[in-house]
Amino acid sequence: MAAAFESPPGELTVMLANDLRALDPRDASYASRFVERLLAAVESAAASDVHLHPTANGLAVSWRLDGVLQAGGEFPAGTTTDVVARLKVLAELLTYRVDVPQEGRIRRPGRGADWRVSTFPKLHGERAVERLVESAGGPRRLAELGLPPNIAASLHGLLTETAGALLITGPAGSGKTTTAYACLREIVSGARVPRCAISLEDPIEAPLDGVVQSQLHPAAGFDLALGLRSVLRQDPEVILIGEIRDRAGAEGVFNAALTGHLVIATFHAASAAGAISRLAEMDIEPYLLRSGLLAVLNQRLLRRLCECAAPVLDGVSRHEELPTDSGAMAAAEAPTVRARHPVGCGPCQQTGYRGRMLLAELLLASPTDLGRAILSREDAARLEELACAAGLVPIAAQAAAAVRHGLTTHAEVLRTHGRGRQLLATPNGGSAHERRT
């Protein structure tokens, strides 16, 4: 089991643990009451995921708050009823199949959100992870995402294009699907002339009004390649691809983009330039990339310091473990007057952070020099250099600025970027590049 974030137990943890421990595991309604109270509590805390991990002695519970796993405690799994089995019933999964992974959905009408459930067989029983997903009652538009104004304006313009591929990239948990959905909502609700929008997803995260959504089913032969071939016969103008996972899917995306369709797709990549480089490594022909690509939006979510944060004295916090790598956080080490460190209070569950901020970089594929570099299969470092010359502000520079302005911390940037990355600032602190050490 992944280690939970080490922090003093917050009010939610203490209250929920006491509430769950008050339940009698021998009671026939134990599992039902356990699940209901757990999901209600973590929903109120705006957690994104809940982990139920069977152990030799019971059931370890944790949840992800602002992207970081928090330990909730260990509890009985139930004597006459089982907590994980109850989740499977609610998600309409096969309770008698405990030897294969399963996926389902817990629908909670009137609660504002549903839960996606994934089970996985392991030692001591089935592990279950529930992810909070959007519901039809909570739409999000581009203006609500917190994108930098210049990027939001450029993105609005890209969504009016009639052909080309817009890639939304970033690591897992960076909000790619949320942004992709916001783009689709913008298209179907903001267009003066109606446009036919179809999505191919696995799984469908939330219903979208005005969009034809299709669930891929690879086990039955309905994979992305087949879906793309078939969807082109449905007369679409806009196509959303839930995720590009292989070469066949990537080729399908760019072929659709070159045949008069606006294609929005999510893709795992560490940077905007890195996404192009990764596609080239998947043997996507350079001419497809150059001709079919409109832009790459890369994004990260960083935890935002709570109001309880205190100023950093003498440039170093006594309460925060700073990275030991000599150059790892060079961009954020400059003398500051507004840098802060986390303290912890009740509202932030003693973590020192509350909510998250979105950092994003937008690489436009139109500049001539960048286009020639794509055709020449230049590496990610060279592509980023050319993109920066054309106006791209790397996420690394934005993260360093967020530290200097007291919005987040050195440790949080290190957590999201990893110890294997350096943030290098120019002398004036205006831009930075990311590179592997």
Side-chain angles (χ1 to χ4, degrees):
M1 182 177 181
F5 180 72
E6 294 295 336
S7 63
E11 293 179 8
L12 170 66
T13 302
V14 175
M15 292 176 61
L16 179 57
N18 291 338
D19 194 23
L20 295 179
R21 288 201 171 92
L23 300 175
D24 184 355
R26 298 167 296 181
D27 192 329
S29 62
Y30 172 75
S32 298
R33 297 171 67 188
F34 188 102
V35 169
E36 182 61 33
R37 295 185 185 189
L38 174 63
L39 295 186
V42 295
E43 274 184 29
S44 67
S48 60
D49 301 81
V50 179
H51 294 201
L52 300 179
H53 186 87
T55 67
N57 301 315
L59 189 66
V61 177
S62 57
W63 52 83
R64 197 172 294 280
L65 184 64
D66 292 334
V68 177
L69 204 59
Q70 311 282 332
E74 190 166 319
F75 307 89
T79 303
T80 58
T81 58
D82 182 81
V83 171
V84 173
R86 174 58 181 168
L87 279 170
K88 293 174 70 174
V89 170
L90 293 174
E92 300 180 351
L93 301 179
L94 302 176
T95 56
Y96 62 87
R97 293 302 305 268
V98 296
D99 56 343
V100 294
Q102 296 188 64
E103 291 189 7
R105 194 183 188 100
I106 297 177
R107 305 185 186 280
R108 293 162 65 83
R111 301 297 184 92
D114 294 345
W115 289 90
R116 191 175 77 225
V117 178
S118 171
T119 64
F120 191 80
K122 61 169 288 295
L123 182 66
H124 304 309
E126 284 183 286
R127 170 181 166 85
V129 174
E130 299 80 60
R131 167 159 288 191
L132 192 66
V133 296
E134 289 186 87
S135 71
R140 301 188 68 180
R141 300 290 292 272
L142 281 180
E144 301 172 49
L145 297 181
L147 288 166
N150 60 325
I151 290 182
S154 296
L155 199 53
H156 273 286
L158 290 169
L159 297 181
T160 64
E161 296 287 347
T162 57
L166 169 62
L167 302 184
I168 300 172
T169 67
S174 59
K176 298 186 295 296
T177 300
T178 298
T179 300
Y181 273 24
C183 288
L184 271 192
R185 292 191 184 101
E186 209 70 30
I187 289 170
V188 298
S189 63
R192 295 180 180 178
V193 178
R195 301 170 75 182
C196 177
I198 301 179
S199 74
L200 296 172
E201 305 175 64
D202 184 20
I204 294 174
E205 296 284 354
L208 291 171
D209 292 337
V211 179
V212 180
Q213 293 176 271
S214 183
Q215 169 76 54
L216 297 175
H217 194 350
F222 184 26
D223 57 12
L224 180 56
L226 175 60
L228 278 167
R229 289 196 300 271
S230 301
V231 79
L232 294 180
R233 303 187 187 98
Q234 292 292 309
D235 191 28
E237 292 161 290
V238 181
I239 303 171
L240 170 67
I241 303 301
E243 183 182 347
I244 298 174
R245 294 177 177 169
D246 53 29
R247 181 175 181 270
E251 280 190 334
V253 164
F254 284 97
N255 284 328
L258 289 173
T259 54
H261 305 86
L262 175 62
V263 183
I264 301 171
T266 69
F267 187 51
H268 285 276
S271 67
I276 298 176
S277 180
R278 187 178 168 211
L279 287 167
E281 291 171 358
M282 294 169 67
D283 290 331
I284 302 302
E285 292 294 335
Y287 76 88
L288 285 177
L289 289 173
R290 176 65 185 93
S291 302
L293 184 64
L294 285 175
V296 181
L297 176 71
N298 184 262
Q299 58 186 52
R300 296 285 180 93
L301 290 171
L302 271 70
R303 289 184 298 168
R304 186 186 295 272
L305 277 167
C306 178
E307 293 181 359
C308 66
V312 172
L313 301 177
D314 300 324
V316 177
S317 164
R318 297 179 183 178
H319 304 275
E320 180 185 10
E321 180 184 354
L322 296 180
T324 57
D325 312 57
S326 59
M329 297 300 298
E333 294 280 1
T336 64
V337 294
R338 286 183 287 178
R340 300 186 298 161
H341 68 81
V343 175
C345 63
C348 69
Q349 303 299 323
Q350 303 301 327
T351 65
Y353 300 87
R354 193 175 185 189
R356 289 190 283 181
M357 62 195 324
L358 177 65
L359 303 183
E361 59 185 19
L362 182 65
L363 185 155
L364 299 173
S366 55
T368 303
D369 290 343
L370 183 59
R372 283 197 291 263
I374 292 174
L375 287 173
S376 301
R377 293 184 179 270
E378 296 281 2
D379 62 18
R382 177 58 177 162
L383 293 176
E384 182 163 315
E385 180 182 344
L386 293 170
C388 289
L392 178 141
V393 179
I395 284 179
Q398 299 174 46
V403 173
R404 290 195 299 271
H405 288 83
L407 302 177
T408 190
T409 64
H410 298 152
E412 176 63 7
V413 176
L414 183 62
R415 182 185 71 84
T416 57
H417 284 74
R419 290 187 178 272
R421 307 190 76 86
Q422 285 190 352
L423 306 184
L424 305 177
T426 57
N428 62 11
S431 65
H433 299 283
E434 246 176 277
R435 67 181 174 100
R436 288 286 180 186
T437 56

